[in-house]
């Protein structure tokens, strides 16, 4: 049965109320509060029962047949909501807005919150290491405007992106945005890319906030940024009913302040997750993260993904790391204190959204309790932080909240004795009343002689006197008792004295619950007024935690302080890959990376498995570490400030978009060649291997020459094409290096040491032998290799097609056509992609 098929007038009044509320939230699953349960009806009930594996039942709603329904208890609803949101659903929470005890007729209900993937604030469902961003995306035709917020931490940022879908997608993936609000879905390509290829939750909203949050919006002057803010805030405030008063400022992200890395670079260098298993373990952030707080962990990741380009700011972090390691006793004490600090950023968000409970208040109190000593240590270290210790709020929480309160805030036992006089009096009455019940039972046993009677309580009859069947006949009128209930084995009575005390006890209990809840709400309101100041404190704590983490790494892993320059000098002595060194069971072989002002390209040759890729990655990682403000794994390091890093490492098809290895290779190479500047770093690993040998070698050489001639940025280029090693004669800014290997008979030993000059030969067959290939196969491969190298014919040494290719001569008429075509090419004004297209065209001419 579908809701649209039902005659609303035939429904019961309560279900008519449901339908009216559901009309305003057609896209969401409506959790409709009925007593102690949230219930879902019609299509919502069918979907929820399937996704949550609940029993689908029926409900009488005034119709001839029962309507579909399922439900979950209100006190354990959170995991159900989280599961639905994770599956891509939005959930609307409809609450009872009146106390049923004080209401005649039907209780008023309304939606108090909408929860989606990008707007969860519950701590238990969020990854403490990551931000949970929701974003507005506006297409302004000449650029994209991305406005994104993490309402669980109170961050709000705005970013302009060139009108290029590849760059837009890169930023969205880089930020790991969970949900995006679009004005429309007119751009079908972009919509499908985001939703289907990258599984990002999308919503459509073409409305803008017209009232409220003016101070926040007017804190920026750019009208475009204001437009993005109003678009995002409408969705969060009006559609999802969020209170965002904990967001006090907007950060305008300037990409020129940071070292730029696209998503391929982040993945290829395994900065936040490994390539193979997509896990945090064994990534660079896994190694660096020695933080003690969730806030510090998020800050450290932010630094890693956004290394600085300002030498003074980087040097400031270096100085703090040196101070921390010199004052190691204070550093260790700080670490112990930080361990006591909970996630203040997200606790502040919970306070504003209204989901805070007494245990959260205890976490805030315990966090504030260590701030005075942290402040003292920062002053001893002479760090320029003005840390607010929030002593008044701490004292309030210390004297008000029980040390072990329940999860619910409406069942009492929240507030300490001595905090409120009226509450203490009610507790005394309750305590005295319960003492009275025990004394009353003893007294009437003696007065009546009924030794087996007992005084009990239930919610239907209240307090009662229970007498066994065998003694019930001894109850006489002179007792003044009134029979209330007959059981199989006993009779239950009440007495005037008992009912009088019952009223006093039960009223006190109810008043205690109400008063404790009201006092809790008052305390929460005081906390809300302090939230913005606590956020500032949290920001300082997160930075201190991240700095200590880097200081600990520098000490544990023997990192050194690098020297920064703006002269293009890159000199790493005994550099190491920190993750491989940490997990390797064998001693790590360090290497030098030396590129003076006249050297732009290192052309790296050597056998597979010898360490070429590791050598390239470690150079990039050392630069990233240096610019994030960390010391680096090396004996010494003189480093230039890099503006962008591009990588092409590995050979994997893009199965999602259906692109081949070679196309992915070319796209990533084109991105680097089109965007790199003389201050950039490029890593090209085995470029050209995704296509035929001659095509690949031609492209590799053309790209290498283009970099050396036109871009002149620091480039590490590994290759198996030994023919390319002669380019250092033509281009003085190309330098040959190789990874050494030791050959003993048919076996090879990798030395993992990078030396000057090109490799003297390839070791492919030796590597195959290490992989335990059949000896017959290896012997045949050596024969074929010899035929290639000597270019002499043997008995069936190679396939005819291969032999023809080796001895191929271009017909004279084709030579003339090729010469004429070559005369039309201007290499100095040819883009990388044009060069690739020309090569393909020449290849076609050759085959005619």
């Amino acid at each position: 049965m579908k809701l649209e098929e039902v005659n609303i007038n035939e429904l019961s009044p309560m279900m008519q109320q449901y339908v009216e509320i559901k009309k305003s939230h057609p896209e969401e699953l409506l959790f409709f509060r009925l007593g102690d349960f949230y219930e879902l009806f019609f299509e919502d009930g069918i979907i929820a029962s399937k996704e949550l594996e609940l029993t689908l039942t029926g409900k009488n709603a005034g119709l001839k047949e029962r309507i579909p329904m399922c439900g979950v208890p209100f006190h354990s609803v959170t995991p159900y909501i989280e599961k639905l949101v994770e599956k891509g659903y939005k959930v609307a929470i409809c609450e009872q807005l009146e106390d049923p005890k004080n209401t005649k007729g039907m209780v008023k209900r309304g939606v108090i919150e909408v929860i989606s993937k990008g707007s969860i604030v519950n701590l238990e469902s969020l990854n403490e290491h990551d931000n949970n961003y929701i974003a507005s995306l506006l297409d302004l035709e000449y650029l994209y405007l991305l406005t994104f917020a993490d309402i669980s931490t109170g961050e709000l940022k705005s970013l302009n992106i060139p009108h290029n879908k590849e760059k837009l997608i890169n930023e969205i993936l880089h930020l790991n945005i969970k949900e995006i609000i679009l004005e429309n879905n007119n751009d079908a390509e972009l919509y499908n890319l985001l939703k289907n290829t990258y599984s990002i939750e999308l919503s459509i909203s073409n409305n803008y906030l017209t009232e409220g949050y003016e101070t926040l919006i007017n804190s920026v002057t750019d009208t475009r940024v204001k437009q993005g803010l109003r678009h995002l805030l409408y969705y969060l405030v009006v559609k999802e009913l969020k209170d965002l008063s904990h967001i006090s400022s907007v950060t305008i992200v300037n990409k020129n302040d940071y070292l730029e890395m696209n998503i391929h670079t982040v993945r290829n260098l395994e900065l936040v997750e490994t390539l193979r298993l997509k896990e945090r373990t064994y990534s660079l952030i896994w190694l660096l993260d020695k933080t003690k707080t969730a806030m510090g962990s998020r800050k450290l990741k932010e630094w890693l993904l956004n290394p600085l380009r300002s030498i003074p700011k980087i040097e400031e972090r270096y100085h703090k790391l040196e101070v921390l390691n010199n004052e190691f006793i204070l550093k260790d004490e700080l670490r112990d204190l930080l361990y006591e600090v909970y996630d203040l950023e997200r606790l502040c968000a919970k306070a504003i959204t209204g989901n805070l409970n007494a245990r959260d208040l205890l976490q805030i109190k315990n966090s504030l309790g260590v701030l005075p000593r942290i402040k003292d240590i920062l002053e001893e270290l002479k760090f320029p932080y003005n840390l607010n210790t929030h002593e008044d709020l701490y004292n309030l929480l210390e004297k008000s909240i029980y040390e072990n309160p329940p999860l619910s805030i409406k069942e009492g036992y929240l507030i300490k004795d001595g905090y409120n006089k009226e509450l203490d009096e009610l507790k005394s009455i309750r305590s005295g009343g319960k003492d009275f019940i025990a004394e009353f039972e003893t007294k009437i046993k003696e007065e009546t002689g009924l030794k087996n009677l007992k005084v009990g309580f239930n919610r239907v009859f209240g307090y009662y006197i229970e007498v066994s069947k065998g003694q019930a006949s001894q109850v006489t009128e002179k007792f003044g008792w009134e029979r209330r209930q007959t059981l199989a084995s006993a009779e239950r009575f009440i007495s005037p004295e008992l009912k009088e005390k019952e009223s006093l006890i039960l009223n006190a209990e109810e008043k205690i619950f109400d008063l404790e809840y009201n006092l809790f709400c008052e305390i929460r309101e005081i906390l809300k007024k302090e939230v913005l100041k606590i956020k500032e404190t949290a920001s300082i704590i997160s930075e201190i935690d991240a700095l200590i983490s880097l200081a600990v790494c520098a000490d544990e892993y023997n990192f050194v302080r690098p020297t920064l320059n703006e002269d293009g000098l890159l000199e790493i002595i005994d550099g190491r890959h920190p993750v491989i060194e940490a997990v390797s069971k064998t001693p790590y072989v360090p290497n030098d990376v030396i590129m003076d002002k006249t050297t732009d390209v290192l052309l790296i040759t050597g056998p597979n498995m010898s360490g070429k890729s590791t050598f390239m990655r470690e150079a990039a990682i050392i630069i990233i570490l240096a610019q994030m403000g960390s010391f680096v794994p090396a004996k010494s390091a003189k480093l230039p400030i890099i503006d962008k890093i591009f990588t092409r490492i590995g050979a994997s098809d893009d199965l999602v978009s259906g692109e081949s290895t070679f196309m992915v290779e070319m796209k990533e190479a084109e991105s680097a060649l089109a965007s790199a500047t003389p201050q950039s770093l490029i890593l090209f690993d085995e470029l050209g291997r995704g296509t035929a040998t001659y095509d690949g070698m031609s492209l590799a050489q053309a790209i290498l020459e283009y970099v050396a001639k036109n871009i002149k940025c620091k480039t590490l280029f590994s290759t198996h094409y030994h023919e390319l090693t002669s380019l250092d004669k033509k281009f003085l800014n190309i330098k040959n290096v190789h990874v050494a290997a030791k050959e003993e008979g048919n076996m090879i030993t990798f030395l993992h040491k990078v030396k000057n000059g090109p490799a003297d030969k390839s070791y492919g067959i030796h590597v195959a032998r290490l992989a335990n290939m059949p000896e017959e196969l290896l012997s045949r491969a050596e024969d074929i290799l010899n035929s290639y190298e000597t270019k002499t014919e043997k008995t069936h040494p190679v396939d005819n097609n291969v032999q023809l290719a080796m001895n191929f001569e271009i017909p004279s008429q084709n030579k003339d056509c090729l010469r004429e075509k070559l005369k039309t090419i201007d290499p100095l004004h040819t883009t990388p992609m044009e060069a690739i297209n020309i090569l393909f065209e020449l290849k076609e001419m050759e085959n005619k």
Side-chain angles (χ1 to χ4, degrees), residues 12 132 217 292 325 327 353 361 383 476 527 531 569-570 598 611-612 628 651 708 732 750 799 816 828:
S12 64
N132 192 64
I217 294 169
K292 295 296 184 180
N325 278 339
E327 300 288 348
T353 56
L361 285 182
F383 281 0
T476 64
L527 170 63
V531 155
L569 173 63
L570 196 164
T598 63
K612 298 193 300 296
M628 76 176 283
L732 297 179
F750 300 121
D799 290 339
D816 293 336
L828 295 178

Side-chain angles (χ1 to χ4, degrees), residues 564-624:
L564 304 176
N565 67 81
E566 295 179 316
D567 302 326
L569 173 63
L570 196 164
E571 183 183 283
I572 300 170
I573 305 300
D574 284 350
R576 314 184 305 275
H577 190 299
V579 178
I580 295 177
E581 181 184 35
V583 302
S584 177
K585 296 178 181 178
T586 58
Y588 190 88
V589 179
N591 276 300
D592 300 343
V593 184
I594 300 176
M595 302 176 76
D596 58 25
K597 301 172 187 177
T598 63
T599 303
D600 295 321
V601 180
L602 283 187
L603 186 57
I604 310 161
T605 49
N608 282 326
M609 294 175 55
S610 62
K612 298 193 300 296
S613 296
T614 299
F615 174 72
M616 297 169 72
R617 283 190 173 101
E618 79 180 34
I621 284 173
I622 285 172
I623 287 170
I624 291 168

